[in-house]
């Protein structure tokens, strides 16, 4: 099988691009490697900026509109830098019925952010997920990759407060 070679210059001299290039090369610069490549870029840089989206599109021969569409369709991709900490609130049916909307509202009231936003000080990003697959523990939050079940607004705010206190 003949591999395509699209050795384009990366958006910057940052050494992390070498890893991204290796993944694209391993996949033969094939269009089907789009999602994997976007995951690698986000893993390396923390989010997908416009230059990264353009670079991946050109390298894989994928229209920029498709790359942008994929990166905005999947909730795990970020187009802006995330906060130092993250809080994901599950919005699956079981979690929603058991109060996840109230948890989101309490975070909005205290931190002044809605899902998809980061606090002005860059400390906390708030995200939602359609389902985390832990329905028996509903409602569920994930704070800095720690899954917590049977949450309510008070428990979640206390957890976020402890997280902030541990930074001091």
């Amino acid at each position: 099988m003949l591999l395509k070679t699209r050795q384009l210059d990366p958006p910057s001299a940052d050494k992390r691009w070498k890893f991204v290039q290796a993944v694209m090369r391993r996949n033969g610069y094939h269009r089907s490697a789009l999602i994997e490549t976007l995951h690698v870029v986000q893993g390396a840089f923390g989010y997908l900026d416009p230059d990264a989206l353009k670079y991946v599109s050109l390298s894989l021969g994928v229209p920029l509109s498709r790359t942008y569409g994929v990166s905005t369709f999947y909730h795990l991709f970020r187009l802006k830098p995330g906060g130092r900490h993250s809080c994901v609130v599950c919005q699956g049916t079981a979690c929603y019925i058991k109060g996840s909307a109230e948890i989101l509202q309490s975070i909005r009231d205290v931190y002044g952010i809605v899902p998809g936003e980061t606090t002005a000080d860059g400390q906390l990003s708030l995200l939602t997920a359609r389902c985390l697959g832990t329905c028996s523990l509903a409602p569920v939050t994930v704070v800095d990759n720690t899954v917590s079940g049977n949450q309510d607004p008070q428990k979640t705010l206390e957890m976020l407060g402890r997280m902030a206190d541990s930074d001091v």
Side-chain angles (χ1 to χ4, degrees):
M1 177 173 118
L2 183 62
L3 295 178
K4 298 177 194 174
T5 56
R6 287 193 177 90
Q7 286 293 342
L8 302 172
D9 290 331
S12 72
D14 192 307
K15 293 183 188 282
R16 294 175 284 185
W17 284 112
K18 295 223 182 277
F19 182 64
V20 175
Q21 289 174 318
V23 169
M24 290 189 294
R25 187 172 41 255
R26 184 184 73 226
N27 288 304
Y29 294 92
H30 197 272
R31 306 170 79 115
S32 64
L34 177 61
I35 292 176
E36 180 181 358
T37 303
L38 291 174
H39 275 291
V40 170
V41 172
Q42 181 166 291
F45 296 96
Y47 70 107
L48 304 170
D49 70 1
D51 289 338
L53 294 175
K54 289 177 196 169
Y55 175 69
V56 169
S57 290
L58 290 171
S59 296
L60 299 180
V62 175
L64 182 57
S65 60
R66 182 179 176 105
T67 303
Y68 182 76
V70 167
S71 64
T72 56
F73 178 79
Y74 293 103
H75 76 275
L76 293 175
F77 290 127
R78 294 176 183 226
L79 299 180
K80 297 183 283 187
R84 183 169 182 196
H85 300 284
S86 66
C87 177
V88 180
V89 179
C90 182
Q91 292 294 283
T93 303
C95 289
Y96 189 81
I97 288 171
K98 291 193 172 189
S100 64
E102 289 82 8
I103 294 171
L104 284 173
Q105 185 61 49
S106 68
I107 294 170
R108 181 180 188 166
D109 293 346
V110 172
Y111 291 93
I113 56 174
V114 297
E117 292 183 344
T118 300
T119 55
D121 62 4
Q123 290 299 305
L124 177 66
S125 290
L126 178 61
L127 305 164
T128 59
R130 289 288 154 230
C131 182
L132 295 173
T134 53
C135 302
S136 64
L137 300 174
V140 175
T141 61
V142 181
V143 175
D144 288 346
N145 298 317
T146 300
V147 178
S148 298
N150 302 308
Q151 290 294 293
D152 61 37
Q154 182 179 347
K155 287 180 187 176
T156 302
L157 290 174
E158 287 173 1
M159 191 173 4
L160 293 174
R162 284 192 303 273
M163 171 200 66
D165 290 343
S166 68
D167 288 343
V168 179

